[in-house]
Amino acid sequence: MSQNTIAENKKRHDLSGHSEVWLFGYGSLIYKVDFPYLERAPAYIEGWSRRFWQGSHDHRGTPEAPGRVLTLIETPGEKCTGMAYKVTPDVFEHLDHREKNGYLRFTTPMTFRDGSQHEGLVYIATEDNEAFLGPASSKELAEHIGQASGPSGPNSEYLVKLQLALEQLDVHDPHVYDIYQDLINS
Ligand code: BEZ
């Protein structure tokens, strides 16, 4: 699969009949909100976990020295809590470009804290994309993230901002927290 997912994402969902679409954010979309939204609220999706298993060539690393950013990995029984945004469909032009390094849009149900549910979209970098790096120990991930940097800034900033944003949402994600601890104690 090509690393640049812009064209593929355009083909995947016909949003022309929609005036608004829910988007689930689990990583940088929680703390880097550089797009307009109509409404936002914490929500979770079921059967997925955040993992720093995706390489970043264009934001938190370079083609020669990719950083590590989040993707979602199928994990039956798990819940991933993040932030849901109600957006107009044109927002996906911007986000498809921002998240073009291997991320495809998938439809997902999301559940809000009041128990209500909506169907929406989520960006996932699947294991077959060229930038996928896969698992490593928390210490290895912290070391990698501590060293990498790219056009959007240090990779460590991504991790720290994410951890702080999760704390504000009252979410404890052991994968993220362990790497964060290893990074700040290194
Ligand atoms: C997110 O925060 O949902 C997200 C993370 C990485 C790429 C695209 C979206």
Side-chain angles (χ1 to χ4, degrees), residues 24-30 70 99 103 123 158:
F24 179 76
Y26 56 92
S28 60
L29 290 183
I30 301 179
L70 288 174
E99 307 302 354
Y103 291 89
Y123 286 92
Y158 179 110

Side-chain angles (χ1 to χ4, degrees), residues 2-7 9 54 57-59 94-104 123 129 131:
S2 151
Q3 227 167 273
N4 186 322
T5 47
I6 295 176
N9 272 324
Q54 173 68 0
H57 300 177
D58 56 349
H59 282 298
H94 166 64
L95 291 178
D96 287 353
H97 187 268
R98 171 176 149 177
E99 307 302 354
K100 64 184 180 303
N101 193 199
Y103 291 89
L104 292 175
Y123 286 92
N129 88 89

Side-chain angles (χ1 to χ4, degrees), residues 3-175:
Q3 227 167 273
N4 186 322
T5 47
I6 295 176
E8 174 65 18
N9 272 324
K10 246 193 195 7
K11 285 188 270 168
R12 286 171 78 84
H13 304 105
D14 179 12
L15 302 176
S16 56
H18 297 257
S19 56
E20 49 198 40
V21 181
W22 280 100
L23 163 70
F24 179 76
Y26 56 92
S28 60
L29 290 183
I30 301 179
Y31 68 81
K32 187 180 175 193
V33 190
D34 59 355
F35 53 91
Y37 60 88
L38 304 166
E39 201 181 315
R40 74 172 168 184
Y44 66 81
I45 61 174
E46 290 183 277
W48 296 92
S49 302
R50 289 178 191 84
R51 292 289 181 265
F52 273 94
W53 291 3
Q54 173 68 0
S56 175
H57 300 177
D58 56 349
H59 282 298
R60 300 295 180 167
T62 62
E64 298 73 35
R68 275 194 178 253
V69 289
L70 288 174
T71 186
L72 291 177
I73 299 295
E74 258 188 296
T75 319
E78 281 293 312
K79 284 180 185 170
C80 177
T81 299
M83 187 65 85
Y85 301 88
K86 190 196 275 183
V87 298
T88 51
D90 54 297
V91 165
F92 289 96
E93 293 265 332
H94 166 64
L95 291 178
D96 287 353
H97 187 268
R98 171 176 149 177
E99 307 302 354
K100 64 184 180 303
N101 193 199
Y103 291 89
L104 292 175
R105 294 193 230 132
F106 291 83
T107 54
T108 180
M110 53 191 92
T111 306
F112 294 80
R113 285 184 169 162
D114 65 1
S116 64
Q117 285 197 321
H118 283 287
E119 187 89 356
L121 297 179
V122 59
Y123 286 92
I124 299 176
T126 55
E127 298 188 19
D128 58 353
N129 88 89
E130 287 176 23
F132 191 78
L133 293 175
S137 70
S138 158
K139 275 203 164 45
E140 288 166 333
L141 292 174
E143 204 167 300
H144 187 154
I145 290 168
Q147 286 170 1
S149 192
S152 296
N155 204 173
S156 55
E157 182 186 50
Y158 179 110
L159 172 61
V160 171
K161 284 190 170 174
L162 175 72
Q163 174 58 30
L164 298 181
L166 290 177
E167 283 172 22
Q168 281 179 358
L169 283 175
D170 213 11
V171 170
H172 176 69
D173 184 318
H175 174 76

